[in-house]
Amino acid sequence: MAQFLAAGIVALVVLIVVSGWFGQRAAVTQAVEDAERTTQVLAPSAVQPALTRGLVDGRAAALDRFDRLVRSRILIGDVLRVK
């Protein structure tokens, strides 16, 4: 009887660990897909029009304008950071 109980407990622990691992993988995959979709929406509509020659050249004024744009129009809602 004790052997069956021990085997049942071991099986339950293995099932919980494996389920947690699969659940975590699914959550990470979903988060990455959501981030990709958000990027596909925000990049052409908010970021691309703001890419100026001054920004590419590294001019301080252009960088400041772009930084303000990112903080006001990009870092909202679910967007936590920009690389």
Side-chain angles (χ1 to χ4, degrees), residues 21-37:
W21 182 75
F22 278 117
Q24 181 182 12
R25 285 190 61 197
V28 168
T29 300
Q30 183 66 43
V32 169
E33 289 172 358
D34 288 348
E36 288 173 350
R37 278 192 294 275

Side-chain angles (χ1 to χ4, degrees), residues 53-81:
R53 189 67 178 151
L55 185 63
V56 173
D57 292 340
R59 294 188 194 132
L63 290 170
D64 289 340
R65 277 192 305 276
F66 189 75
D67 185 57
R68 284 192 304 273
L69 172 111
V70 167
R71 291 176 190 275
S72 66
R73 294 181 60 194
I74 307 299
L75 293 177
I76 55 173
D78 293 337
V79 179
L80 301 177
R81 68 180 180 163

